[in-house]
Amino acid sequence: MFTLITLYSTIIPISLYVSIEMIKFIQCAQFINNDLNMYHAESNTPALARTSNLNEELGQVEYIFSDKTGTLTRNLMEFFKCSIGGEIYGTGITEIEKGGAERAGVRIDDDEDKRSATAVHEKGFNFDDTRIMRGAWRNEPNPEACMEFFRCLAICHTVLPEGEETPEKITYQAASPDEAALVAAAKNFGFFFYRRTPTTVMVRESHVDRMGSMQDVAYEILNVLEFNSTRKRQSVVCRFPNGKLVLYCKGADNVIYERLADGNYDIKKTSREHLEQFGSAGLRTLCLAYRDLSMDQYKSWNEKFVQAKSSLRDRDKKLDEVAELIEKDLILIGCTAIEDKLQEGVPACIETLSAAGIKIWVLTGDKMETAINIAYACSLVNNDTKQFIISSETDTIREAEDRGDPVEIARVIKESVKQSLRSYLEEARRSLSNTPERKLAFIIDGRCLMYALDPALRVNLLGLSLICHSVVCCRVSPLQKAQVTSLVRKGARKITLSIGDGANDVSMIQAAHVGIGISGQEGMQAVMASDFAIAQFRYLTDLLLVHGRWSYLRLCKVITYFFYKNLTFTLTQFWFTFQTGFSGQRFYDDWFQSLYNVIFTALPVIMVGLFDKDVSASLSKKYPQLYQEGIRNTFFKWKVIAVWGFFAFYQSIVFYYFTAAASQHGHGSSGKILGQWDVSTMAFTCVVVTVNLRLLMSCNSITRWHYFSVAGSIAAWFLFIFIYSAIMTSFDRQENVYFVIYVLMSTFFFYLTLILVPVIALFGDFLYLSLQRWLFPYDYQVVQEMHKDDPHEYSMIRLPERSHLSPEEARSYAISMLPRENSKHTGFAFDSPGYESFFASQQGVCVPHKPWDVARRASMKQQRQQPQRTGRS
Amino acid sequence: MNSGDAAGSSSGGSGDAGAPRRASRKPKYSKFTQQELPACKPILTPKWVISVFLLVGVIFVPIGVASLLASNKVVEIVDRYDDACVPSNVTNKLAYIQNSTISKTCRRTLKVPKDMKQPIFVYYQLNNFYQNHRRYVKSRNDQQLRDASKANETTLCDPEKTRDGMAIVPCGLIAWSTFNDTYTFQHNTNNLSIDKTDISWKSDRDHKFGSDVFPKNFQKGPLIGGKTLNESIPLSEQEDLIVWMRTAALPTFRKLYGRIYVDLKENDTITVTLDNNYNTYSFDGKKSLVLSTSTWLGGKNDFLGLAYLTVGGLCFFLAFAFTLLYLIKPRKLGDNNYLSWNRNSAGH
């Protein structure tokens, strides 16, 4: 009985494991690591596969968890556009607009050297518009507004200048890169802020009186009204050298608009339109406003301010209340648009990945506004998207916080999270069934997430997140990133991928099935923890859609083929067992059986594992939907395996009975009879030939290596049997097979059978493949057919089509492609200077806003400079 | 924290500037690593499917016809004699066959259905005889058969290894059970001589069975399995043994007994005198005598021809069926609407 069972050991070949390891290793070491499409020239970083056993999972990823800073964005804030007095300035085109234009089929050149001469691109400033640069603003219809705009930028901030006081060499130290960008913008517009003393701001103003004039003006800063996340604005009261008192204010559009003086509806309306335009282009906006103060007004207010400032209890709250008193009747100047510079190609990449059916979650430590803004910029969210927001910044929670009881706060937050989760889930389900094409986005902040991850709410959280097309988690800690990742990994049972660049992403990278580190940066922690390292987020397209998809297809093919060929082989043995009285006699010689997987059928399947391509790399990216076949695991379903199994069954019957029938009659004119070993050798020959040909039939692309390996394998069998049956050894083998092949080859019967059996065996497969292709084609097959006459698909990869539009035409085209619809999103995002440690807030510790004491910082400037210089050199 | 990140990325930028100094890690271009090896991309278009079917049909039908014609030319006479050759009064067939004292000569008359051209091959056919049983197949020693000096080499030969401590040559179950019915033929009162040379494959005679190896201690046990061998003839010339020892694959098999070099006419009768010695009664085996002519393809084998014809015919039919399918259910090649994502949206 045991002997009988051991006969079927070939059904699970060890060579499967070896072959797959080999294939995966070469896929990683040769293909992924050497892909020129994933080589980042600027950082001299090629892609790096650090593990070789996740290739096929790259082709099945359904959820991507991405860090923001450093992964999606470069953490560079650049002043990009502005709207002054109802007029838009700035000719730049954001990535998202480029994406829109490219979708419409126009490619926009933005080579740096093609910019106009006035264009300036430095850190924090990437702006070009001849109308307002170099003093040209004086000729604009509203020079006064322009001047106020620039002054506001130059005065209303908490930035410290450092280094030499020349526009070229100065550096700005700011708590947030936004502020630095705004001040740098002012500098480039001719309002050079160069020195701060505890009470004054020194600005070198150009072109104010007349073109080319330059004068140093000292503005006395009387009060600074802090930015915080509740106020969403920041104001400065300053005294001009001529004694005029002005309050400059910048902040979120809705906050500013509430406090504007009546009148000027035109400007307000056009500015709002501009804000919406900026917002949907993924820019971060701020509104600027000012108010002239009279001495009396100021004095009476200042008393209250001093009082509030010196109060011991609830000082922040009182300061906020006092600020309300003066921040009103503002006059709108305009708004700024800052680009949170995305990594190159990110929106396009995300667009492609979404089309591929991959859901992208952004997990970031940033504030909610910033995160939403980036979601806009990455086209994860647009104006049609329905947003479900769970935020801890609601009035009820704030009230609870004011009461200060931690247990009570927790209860209130938990209750509100629970309620909103439940109602959102219902709403999302309703939306899914009523308007399935509507995209849904779910946004939650870390503090609420902490409660949502509670086992009781987890199910609702998961349910909602899985319905939504994109999920943004802001202000989350590294631990929460990992928790969210494993929530999906375990809850949805889908392949997850995490991508990040920093040490705070390590836990997330480790929690996902596939971890990807952004390499070429300074920190290596993420890379060290990752499975694959790529230099840029956009290379995910290549990694997943090309390498991942191919690897998945290939490995599916390899495994199913292995299953088929061993099942076929073993089943012939199985049929023989019935006719040996279940004695356990082997059908094949021991050597045939041992070498079957090692030599006669080994190489071709490895070739398939390496070279098979259903569609080319460029088509894989052009039709990202093809990736869904991997997500749905189309090629490794029971149905697929059953089809292979069925044909293995059919073929084994053909092999066994067609050849065994031969032993009943005499063959050849000598009338001699073939014995058992003749029959089995013939059957084995048929198996080897058929199985190798079957492989060719299932190939999508056949290189010469396929031909070599298939022909080589069949030739190897004949070579082997010629030698093996010609020699006699005195060792322990039985000489059953001696001369068998020569005996066989002396009969016509052998050749006739050798033609007949493979054809009949492959007949069924061929029929199936033809019918399947015609009646139920796979997506890739349709794409193959669409592009079967493409002559030079390889050259297409290297030479992306470029339109012949001049840069100006392209830009105007891109501008015409801007979203025109009215949206609610106006793109406010501003990292508060008083940005408290989010870890503290994670733990539920409420850190009181510390007043941003500019004066103190200014006086400490000398001491601070020293260590930073050494740090930078 | 933000400013820290900014510093991090800006110093990362300075690292970029230093890139040219380092050796470039840009991967070298090769068609292999970029996976751009030239390849042909076969697509099973209707044109291809139909032409493949037609091609197979065109090749297979003639081969089938030729094979079938060849097979039809073969004249075959099969006569089962195991039951008939036991006298009808014998109830215990097993005791009858094992009793060596009874003469078991038996006479059979065969009628030639069609002209038979020489050479006529004489086969014996056994049914239900598991020559492929594992323990049976194993029970032989090739070295002993080939090499006189290895006469005592009887490993694997269980249970027929030794007799009274002396090694049996040839040892093992297979040799022990060699078929031992004998046939003599009479045609119109003339004895037909049977040529019993060259009935085994030459390679077996020359290489597997030694010309200096003589049978020893063979069939000396209490239980006689089959043929006894003449101890003065070397194994390489004991062709019945050699034929028998090329074990058959299936439990129903034929083995060559000899050849008759006489042409037989239609309706001739042949009288066969046979010694019914071989015991197939203990396992319900059947014994038949087969006379057959041969062609280039061998003996009577309709199967091959029919298979070729069927497949060829089926291919023509399928070529036609697919043509119909392509006409009835046409699908533009590379039609966008067949892409699953387009299909789904069209469904709504």
Side-chain angles (χ1 to χ4, degrees):
Chain A
M1 188 62 196
F2 186 68
T3 321
L4 193 64
I5 292 167
T6 55
L7 285 181
Y8 308 126
S9 62
T10 44
I11 204 163
I12 306 160
I14 297 173
S15 61
L16 171 68
Y17 182 75
V18 178
S19 307
I20 288 179
E21 285 302 308
M22 215 150 104
I23 289 166
K24 284 181 171 180
F25 176 75
I26 296 177
Q27 281 176 350
C28 285
Q30 293 296 323
F31 296 159
I32 294 182
N33 289 358
N34 283 327
D35 191 341
L36 285 170
N37 285 328
M38 293 202 288
Y39 170 73
H40 192 233
E42 282 138 58
S43 62
N44 190 21
T45 315
L48 173 69
R50 289 171 35 86
T51 170
S52 67
N53 50 22
L54 291 172
N55 297 1
E56 77 285 4
E57 296 200 340
L58 283 180
Q60 296 172 277
V61 171
E62 182 157 6
Y63 290 96
I64 291 181
F65 301 94
S66 174
D67 176 40
K68 186 192 82 87
T69 313
T71 306
L72 296 174
T73 66
R74 311 181 197 192
N75 203 26
L76 276 182
M77 302 296 165
E78 288 184 339
F79 188 90
F80 201 68
K81 285 188 180 189
C82 60
S83 157
I84 307 172
E87 191 74 28
I88 287 194
Y89 298 99
T91 54
I93 300 162
T94 60
E95 288 275 349
I96 189 169
E97 291 163 346
K98 272 183 218 159
E102 260 165 45
R103 240 166 296 145
V106 180
R107 196 186 160 85
I108 295 160
D109 278 308
D110 64 341
D111 294 337
E112 303 283 321
D113 47 306
K114 287 188 184 165
R115 294 278 178 81
S116 66
T118 52
V120 178
H121 194 177
E122 59 170 64
K123 189 181 172 216
F125 191 74
N126 177 15
F127 184 86
D128 176 29
D129 199 323
T130 44
R131 289 176 296 170
I132 55 172
M133 298 293 284
R134 302 189 180 185
W137 53 270
R138 292 178 63 87
N139 304 325
E140 282 299 290
N142 43 9
E144 282 304 312
C146 288
M147 193 164 70
E148 291 298 336
F149 185 88
F150 303 144
R151 256 189 204 138
C152 180
L153 291 182
I155 297 170
C156 179
H157 54 76
T158 55
V159 173
L160 286 176
E162 262 184 16
E164 263 183 72
E165 291 173 355
T166 58
E168 291 77 28
K169 295 211 173 135
I170 201 155
T171 55
Y172 292 116
Q173 288 295 314
S176 85
D178 294 75
E179 285 226 290
L182 292 176
V183 178
K187 174 181 84 178
N188 284 292
F189 289 131
F191 286 71
F192 174 39
F193 160 66
Y194 65 95
R195 192 184 300 163
R196 181 190 283 281
T197 68
T199 53
T200 55
V201 161
M202 305 289 288
V203 180
R204 186 165 299 151
E205 300 184 343
S206 316
H207 319 294
V208 173
D209 295 332
R210 57 194 158 77
M211 281 302 273
S213 72
M214 200 180 281
Q215 66 201 50
D216 290 356
V217 186
Y219 295 95
E220 191 182 344
I221 304 297
L222 299 173
N223 303 87
V224 177
L225 301 173
E226 269 322 306
F227 187 99
N228 66 36
S229 54
T230 326
R231 281 164 43 80
K232 293 184 182 169
R233 64 189 182 271
Q234 174 188 42
S235 305
V236 164
V237 181
C238 65
R239 196 199 318 256
F240 281 43
N242 63 7
K244 194 169 77 161
L245 284 174
V246 180
L247 172 121
Y248 284 112
C249 181
K250 68 179 180 197
D253 54 290
N254 56 342
V255 180
I256 301 282
Y257 267 71
E258 281 169 15
R259 292 170 177 75
L260 289 183
D262 284 343
N264 279 338
Y265 295 111
D266 284 352
I267 290 190
K268 285 183 198 169
K269 189 161 165 280
T270 45
S271 294
R272 178 162 286 284
E273 278 167 15
H274 295 163
L275 281 167
E276 285 162 1
Q277 213 178 81
F278 293 155
S280 52
L283 297 169
R284 301 154 69 106
T285 59
L286 279 179
C287 279
L288 307 187
Y290 76 97
R291 180 187 178 192
D292 289 325
L293 295 172
S294 68
M295 204 58 204
D296 299 342
Q297 272 174 327
Y298 175 71
K299 271 193 177 145
S300 64
W301 175 81
N302 195 34
E303 277 170 23
K304 292 173 196 156
F305 181 76
V306 173
Q307 213 172 13
K309 207 170 177 181
S310 52
S311 69
L312 295 174
R313 294 185 61 240
D314 291 338
R315 184 167 53 188
D316 293 332
K317 202 172 162 195
K318 281 180 185 161
L319 277 174
D320 289 358
E321 280 162 9
V322 173
E324 288 286 343
L325 297 176
I326 199 160
E327 287 167 331
K328 61 182 187 189
D329 296 334
L330 303 173
I331 296 162
L332 185 67
I333 313 170
C335 52
T336 62
I338 288 176
E339 187 183 21
D340 185 358
K341 199 97 167 111
L342 289 174
Q343 299 278 3
E344 204 183 322
V346 165
C349 172
I350 286 182
E351 185 111 4
T352 313
L353 294 178
S354 319
I358 302 172
K359 300 187 181 80
I360 295 159
W361 293 31
V362 177
L363 310 180
T364 170
D366 285 333
K367 291 198 321 165
M368 185 166 277
E369 285 92 357
T370 317
I372 294 179
N373 216 293
I374 284 303
Y376 263 87
C378 300
S379 10
L380 279 176
V381 175
N382 60 35
N383 290 328
D384 296 330
T385 311
K386 188 170 177 62
Q387 298 179 10
F388 301 111
I389 300 179
I390 299 185
S391 163
S392 57
E393 305 267 314
T394 60
D395 293 339
T396 37
I397 295 174
R398 223 173 263 145
E399 272 171 33
E401 277 172 358
D402 289 344
R403 286 196 293 276
D405 177 6
V407 182
E408 175 72 3
I409 297 173
R411 196 193 60 78
V412 168
I413 297 180
K414 188 167 181 182
E415 199 52 41
S416 83
V417 168
K418 192 172 163 185
Q419 273 179 6
S420 20
L421 267 182
R422 194 174 302 147
S423 64
Y424 285 160
L425 187 60
E426 268 173 37
E427 204 177 326
R429 288 212 176 112
R430 217 176 309 127
S431 161
L432 197 66
S433 56
N434 296 340
T435 50
E437 61 277 4
R438 175 125 193 230
K439 285 181 92 180
L440 308 171
F442 174 51
I443 296 142
I444 186 167
D445 73 1
R447 208 157 155 208
C448 295
L449 189 64
M450 187 166 72
Y451 296 99
L453 283 170
D454 186 86
L457 301 180
R458 201 171 261 215
V459 183
N460 283 351
L461 174 70
L462 187 66
L464 181 58
S465 322
L466 296 188
I467 291 176
C468 291
H469 298 86
S470 45
V471 176
V472 178
C473 301
C474 34
R475 303 215 115 179
V476 289
S477 67
L479 177 66
Q480 283 180 320
K481 288 182 178 183
Q483 281 175 331
V484 170
T485 311
S486 40
L487 174 76
V488 176
R489 179 179 176 157
K490 297 199 179 106
R493 299 180 180 283
K494 294 285 166 54
I495 305 288
T496 53
L497 178 147
S498 290
I499 178 166
D501 71 319
N504 59 343
D505 305 316
V506 167
S507 56
M508 167 173 94
I509 286 173
Q510 285 169 339
H513 290 96
V514 184
I516 297 197
I518 300 287
S519 56
Q521 312 274 331
E522 284 297 283
M524 286 295 285
Q525 289 103 321
V527 171
M528 297 308 285
S530 68
D531 303 309
F532 297 90
I534 51 178
Q536 291 273 301
F537 184 83
R538 67 171 189 271
Y539 296 152
L540 267 188
T541 325
D542 281 278
L543 191 63
L544 297 184
L545 264 50
V546 179
H547 290 282
R549 210 175 66 82
W550 281 347
S551 295
Y552 167 72
L553 282 179
R554 290 165 181 172
L555 284 170
C556 285
K557 211 163 252 188
V558 167
I559 293 171
T560 47
Y561 176 76
F562 250 100
F563 167 73
Y564 148 79
K565 84 178 162 116
N566 286 289
L567 188 66
T568 308
F569 182 65
T570 312
L571 278 178
T572 53
Q573 171 70 62
F574 182 66
W575 307 129
F576 183 61
T577 310
F578 283 98
Q579 297 191 311
T580 62
F582 300 100
S583 60
Q585 172 59 33
R586 286 176 183 279
F587 189 40
Y588 302 109
D589 187 84
D590 293 358
W591 282 87
F592 296 1
Q593 194 155 354
S594 311
L595 296 180
Y596 177 70
N597 275 316
V598 183
I599 294 180
F600 308 134
T601 59
L603 209 53
V605 71
I606 292 180
M607 291 304 142
V608 169
L610 294 181
F611 297 126
D612 196 49
K613 286 199 286 195
D614 53 348
V615 296
S616 67
S618 54
L619 291 178
S620 297
K621 287 185 270 185
K622 187 173 172 190
Y623 299 98
Q625 291 93 336
L626 288 176
Y627 190 80
Q628 285 168 358
E629 290 173 337
I631 294 177
R632 290 195 296 260
N633 204 359
T634 314
F635 300 111
F636 203 67
K637 279 184 171 161
W638 279 113
K639 206 188 105 197
V640 177
I641 297 171
V643 167
W644 276 103
F646 170 76
F647 285 109
F649 180 81
Y650 162 76
Q651 294 190 1
S652 68
I653 288 181
V654 171
F655 293 137
Y656 179 68
Y657 286 100
F658 275 54
T659 51
S663 68
Q664 310 259 2
H665 312 277
H667 295 293
S669 45
S670 68
K672 291 171 193 169
I673 298 280
L674 298 175
Q676 176 192 342
W677 303 106
D678 307 284
V679 171
S680 73
T681 305
M682 188 148 75
F684 192 81
T685 310
C686 292
V687 171
V688 168
V689 169
T690 310
V691 161
N692 277 308
L693 290 180
R694 179 65 183 85
L695 186 80
L696 276 190
M697 264 170 76
S698 65
C699 284
N700 284 309
S701 64
I702 304 178
T703 66
R704 59 172 184 276
W705 295 104
H706 286 86
Y707 293 123
F708 284 154
S709 60
V710 167
S713 295
I714 296 175
W717 155 245
F718 279 103
L719 193 68
F720 167 78
I721 189 67
F722 285 152
I723 295 170
Y724 181 64
S725 63
I727 54 167
M728 273 220 193
T729 59
S730 53
F731 302 111
D732 65 345
R733 87 172 162 99
Q734 296 200 334
E735 284 143 7
N736 304 317
V737 188
Y738 181 70
F739 234 69
V740 158
I741 192 70
Y742 302 106
V743 165
L744 278 175
M745 290 178 84
S746 67
T747 64
F748 277 112
F749 179 78
F750 173 71
Y751 302 103
L752 285 183
T753 310
L754 198 56
I755 296 171
L756 178 73
V757 169
V759 168
I760 294 188
L762 294 175
F763 194 81
D765 295 82
F766 186 77
L767 195 62
Y768 171 76
L769 290 179
S770 314
L771 285 175
Q772 178 270 324
R773 178 162 208 130
W774 192 252
L775 300 175
F776 313 104
Y778 285 120
D779 290 335
Y780 78 87
Q781 292 175 324
V782 178
V783 173
Q784 278 176 344
E785 288 166 9
M786 288 158 78
H787 295 272
K788 79 183 156 91
D789 298 324
D790 287 358
H792 303 298
E793 58 165 283
Y794 301 125
S795 55
M796 276 164 51
I797 305 169
R798 301 257 164 263
L799 300 169
E801 282 175 85
R802 294 204 159 221
S803 68
H804 299 289
L805 297 176
S806 69
E808 287 73 30
E809 284 170 331
R811 260 187 211 119
S812 64
Y813 180 79
I815 288 164
S816 73
M817 292 301 296
L818 285 175
R820 289 280 176 234
E821 77 273 37
N822 281 335
S823 74
K824 284 173 265 163
H825 181 68
T826 51
F828 162 71
F830 186 70
D831 288 322
S832 113
Y835 181 12
E836 75 271 40
S837 154
F838 78 88
F839 292 106
S841 74
Q842 278 317 306
Q843 266 104 54
V845 183
C846 192
V847 182
H849 293 303
K850 292 207 171 59
W852 194 252
D853 197 342
V854 179
R856 189 172 56 83
R857 284 215 309 159
S859 61
M860 286 168 66
K861 190 175 144 193
Q862 292 309 315
Q863 293 109 41
R864 283 168 53 91
Q865 246 174 359
Q866 228 36 48
Q868 276 186 355
R869 271 225 181 107
T870 49
R872 297 215 135 222
S873 58
Chain B
M1 189 191 119
N2 261 326
S3 58
D5 271 7
S9 67
S10 71
S11 46
S14 71
D16 295 351
R21 272 183 277 125
R22 281 176 291 165
S24 173
R25 299 202 285 151
K26 184 174 184 178
K28 284 199 182 63
Y29 175 84
S30 83
K31 279 188 172 160
F32 173 69
T33 56
Q34 302 309 311
Q35 310 195 58
E36 290 174 5
L37 288 172
C40 90
K41 299 190 186 55
I43 295 179
L44 276 183
T45 55
K47 211 164 58 187
W48 270 101
V49 173
I50 292 171
S51 13
V52 166
F53 277 129
L54 285 180
L55 183 75
V56 173
V58 164
I59 295 174
F60 270 40
V61 168
I63 298 181
V65 169
S67 311
L68 212 54
L69 284 180
S71 173
N72 278 341
K73 264 201 288 187
V74 173
V75 184
E76 195 177 81
I77 307 169
V78 182
D79 180 54
R80 183 180 164 193
Y81 64 84
D82 53 313
D83 277 341
C85 280
V86 179
S88 51
N89 54 0
V90 173
T91 48
N92 189 346
K93 290 178 183 169
L94 201 56
Y96 167 78
I97 199 83
Q98 281 176 341
N99 188 345
S100 55
T101 56
I102 308 171
S103 158
K104 302 191 189 77
T105 310
C106 172
R107 212 174 264 274
R108 307 281 299 165
T109 317
L110 306 176
K111 196 171 171 201
V112 178
K114 261 189 191 168
D115 288 357
M116 290 173 91
K117 284 257 166 49
Q118 62 166 337
I120 297 166
F121 298 93
V122 180
Y123 299 99
Y124 51 92
Q125 176 175 328
L126 298 182
N127 287 56
N128 206 23
F129 189 103
Y130 285 83
Q131 252 204 327
N132 55 13
H133 194 281
R134 185 169 63 94
R135 294 180 47 201
Y136 187 86
V137 171
K138 258 200 334 199
S139 187
R140 64 190 283 168
N141 189 309
D142 287 322
Q143 295 179 35
Q144 186 205 42
L145 296 175
R146 191 175 64 229
D147 194 342
S149 64
K150 300 231 170 106
N152 292 329
E153 194 66 58
T154 57
T155 36
L156 297 172
C157 279
D158 277 331
E160 291 293 321
K161 270 171 128 168
T162 52
R163 174 61 38 216
D164 303 330
M166 310 275 278
I168 298 173
V169 181
C171 70
L173 271 179
I174 310 181
W176 175 77
S177 60
T178 309
F179 188 73
N180 61 350
D181 285 4
T182 57
Y183 312 107
T184 49
F185 296 89
Q186 280 175 311
H187 176 234
N188 303 336
T189 69
N190 300 330
N191 269 352
L192 292 180
S193 65
I194 303 177
D195 178 14
K196 283 183 72 75
T197 57
D198 193 30
I199 56 173
S200 59
W201 295 98
K202 190 168 179 298
S203 57
D204 286 358
R205 286 200 302 273
D206 291 355
H207 301 287
K208 284 192 172 176
F209 294 85
S211 54
D212 53 351
V213 182
F214 295 91
K216 264 187 293 191
N217 308 315
F218 190 68
Q219 298 291 24
K220 295 280 164 59
L223 208 59
I224 305 294
K227 192 175 165 85
T228 39
L229 298 176
N230 185 341
E231 298 203 350
S232 58
I233 301 175
L235 289 187
S236 62
E237 287 166 31
Q238 307 265 14
E239 291 210 37
D240 280 329
L241 176 77
I242 296 172
V243 165
W244 182 254
M245 287 194 75
R246 197 173 184 104
T247 52
L250 298 180
T252 299
F253 59 89
R254 286 178 186 180
K255 288 204 181 280
L256 189 57
Y257 183 82
R259 284 186 210 85
I260 301 169
Y261 290 101
V262 172
D263 288 343
L264 296 179
K265 292 275 168 304
E266 196 173 341
N267 294 328
D268 282 358
T269 52
I270 303 170
T271 314
V272 187
T273 311
L274 55 86
D275 285 335
N276 184 18
N277 299 322
Y278 200 68
N279 180 5
T280 55
Y281 302 98
S282 56
F283 53 88
D284 282 336
K286 295 172 195 160
K287 293 193 282 190
S288 315
L289 172 67
V290 180
L291 294 183
S292 171
T293 57
S294 179
T295 60
W296 57 272
L297 192 57
K300 183 127 189 118
N301 189 358
D302 291 344
F303 179 75
L304 202 61
L306 283 178
Y308 266 102
L309 266 184
T310 314
V311 172
L314 206 58
C315 280
F316 281 124
F317 170 74
L318 282 173
F320 177 68
F322 267 88
T323 316
L324 275 187
L325 176 73
Y326 294 141
L327 289 176
I328 291 167
K329 208 171 169 346
R331 170 167 89 80
K332 199 174 126 255
L333 276 185
D335 189 346
N336 267 327
N337 297 326
Y338 275 82
L339 293 169
S340 64
W341 54 93
N342 291 339
R343 241 178 359 229
N344 289 345
S345 60
H348 284 290

